[in-house]
Amino acid sequence: RTLHHPAAAALKPGPGKVLRAGPLANAARTLYNGVQADALRPFGAGGAARAVVLKLAQSGARRIFVCNRTRSKAEALAQEFPTQITPCGLDEETLQDCALFSDLLVNTTPMGMHGVAARFEQLDFLAALPKGAAVCDIIYSPPEIMLLARAKALGLSTLNGLGMLIYQAVFALEEFTDVKIDAQEVLPAVKAAL
């Protein structure tokens, strides 16, 4: 149910195999179905954001705000589903305005990740999210970045990227080895390693 890099979503099926939807796309659909959102807002417009946004659009999200520091990247992504996707900047005023109409926020940027200097300058926009909104992140290390900590303090549902890390690996191994893997058995070892 969480998000990470979409590499496994690009796998191609071998002879006689049917490729299932990639883990990032499935995670986006699960998140969307769990929130029953009318308006969604991912941060970022790179590969991970693209997978999240496109699956949410295909799943019936009526309004998706794509917020990115480089607005042209958000605009390029919006061209794929122009009636559902609204490109936006990543400035405080825009974040505040979009938050008022967003039921799900997904951070697909590296901001807050270990080893990355970039951080959110302000998190005040989180207070504008509607009651019952969810805040998700593709980052799994650290397990709770400031974005998630602040959202949790405001009483919002939060979800980090650890599950996506695990399910992406399980997905890839199952596709390449034809061996069924229990992701829940892997979880304690991954948590201990991080």
Side-chain angles (χ1 to χ4, degrees), residues 120-174:
F120 286 98
E121 293 177 21
Q122 287 271 350
L123 295 172
D124 294 341
F125 63 88
L126 290 172
L129 287 167
K131 185 178 180 179
V135 178
C136 306
D137 203 323
I138 66 169
I139 295 172
Y140 54 85
S141 180
E144 185 175 80
I145 67 168
M146 287 300 298
L147 175 75
L148 294 181
R150 179 74 185 273
K152 188 183 287 182
L154 291 168
L156 302 170
S157 298
T158 61
L159 192 62
N160 74 7
L162 181 60
M164 186 59 220
L165 170 68
I166 292 168
Y167 284 100
Q168 176 178 298
V170 166
F171 174 84
L173 284 170
E174 286 180 348

Side-chain angles (χ1 to χ4, degrees), residues 4-185:
H4 189 56
H5 193 274
L11 293 173
K12 294 185 176 161
K17 288 188 174 185
V18 175
L19 184 62
R20 298 171 287 160
L24 188 59
N26 282 336
R29 182 176 53 232
T30 299
L31 289 169
Y32 173 68
N33 289 337
V35 174
Q36 297 304 315
D38 286 329
L40 313 161
R41 180 179 56 168
F43 291 149
R50 183 178 187 278
V52 170
V53 166
L54 296 182
K55 183 44 79 176
L56 292 171
Q58 291 169 352
S59 296
R62 287 186 266 164
R63 192 168 182 195
I64 303 169
F65 301 100
V66 176
C67 301
N68 195 300
R69 286 178 295 186
T70 308
R71 188 179 168 102
S72 61
K73 289 182 181 180
E75 289 169 350
L77 183 54
Q79 290 177 4
E80 301 206 33
F81 288 90
T83 60
Q84 293 166 276
I85 300 173
T86 302
C88 303
L90 202 57
D91 60 277
E92 275 304 307
E93 185 178 339
T94 301
L95 295 178
Q96 185 80 20
D97 291 344
C98 291
L100 294 169
F101 305 102
S102 298
D103 301 302
L104 174 65
L105 183 150
V106 182
N107 178 32
T108 64
T109 74
M111 288 194 285
M113 184 169 61
H114 277 152
V116 175
R119 300 283 185 259
F120 286 98
E121 293 177 21
Q122 287 271 350
L123 295 172
D124 294 341
F125 63 88
L126 290 172
L129 287 167
K131 185 178 180 179
V135 178
C136 306
D137 203 323
I138 66 169
I139 295 172
Y140 54 85
S141 180
E144 185 175 80
I145 67 168
M146 287 300 298
L147 175 75
L148 294 181
R150 179 74 185 273
K152 188 183 287 182
L154 291 168
L156 302 170
S157 298
T158 61
L159 192 62
N160 74 7
L162 181 60
M164 186 59 220
L165 170 68
I166 292 168
Y167 284 100
Q168 176 178 298
V170 166
F171 174 84
L173 284 170
E174 286 180 348
E175 289 298 316
F176 286 113
T177 65
D178 285 328
V179 174
K180 186 76 176 146
I181 300 168
D182 183 352
Q184 291 304 312
E185 288 184 20

